[in-house]
Amino acid sequence: ARSGDLLICAVGIGDDPCEALGYVRSTFGPDFMTEDEKHKLDFLWITDFPMFEVGANQKLKCSHHPFTMPNAEDTVALRDYANKGNSIDGLLQIRGQSFDLVCNGIELGGGSVRIHTEELQRYILEECLGHTPEQVEATFQHLLSAFSVGCPPHGGFALGMDRLLMLMCNAQSLMDVIAFPKSTNGNELMTGSPAVTSNEQLDEYNLRKKENA
């Protein structure tokens, strides 16, 4: 820190201090930037996200989603969870192969490398997240069956082009750069959507309107 700098600290439990400081940064940060800084695009890849976190009622949940492949270096620690009394402390140190692309503090996109083996997917769902085998079979059988016959390693990434355009245009809102922005009450003004559907339109697609819905 230098003379004239402002340091802000926050104290709290869990992610609350980080979320509070993030709000302060995103709300007041632009007021302290020069014009050149406002038009500069600073990109950042964020990796090594924790795979698990503690949710409501101290129950373990996935930080991203339960199909994220854990980091190869953390495989032993992941397996030790079932072998050492199911203490969640070790699981909270497991990193997942998920990633975010950030520009000027705004998330542009994210993705992950996915689990592609039946055995590991069952382990995550049953041993780590506490789903019963019956629940897993009822909900994820189609996925596990695909894994059992051979699924190649795979991953994905989704980029929000509208967010990137917003930054490139120095716009204040996504509504300034998307083709059909919605109003605050969810209406799309150009096409008048949503609108009442006529009986002729319903008949064309063999649909029936439910009365008193």
Side-chain angles (χ1 to χ4, degrees), residues 197 199 202 207-213:
T197 306
N199 290 329
L202 294 174
L207 296 175
R208 182 174 59 187
K209 185 184 299 184
K210 184 177 180 180
E211 300 295 338
N212 301 322

Side-chain angles (χ1 to χ4, degrees), residues 66-67 118 121-122 125 129 131-147:
F67 315 110
E118 178 187 11
Q121 189 65 78
R122 284 188 181 276
L125 293 171
L129 297 178
H131 297 297
T132 66
E134 292 76 18
Q135 290 173 327
V136 171
E137 289 292 331
T139 308
F140 303 107
Q141 181 55 46
H142 63 289
L143 180 67
L144 298 173
S145 295
F147 289 169

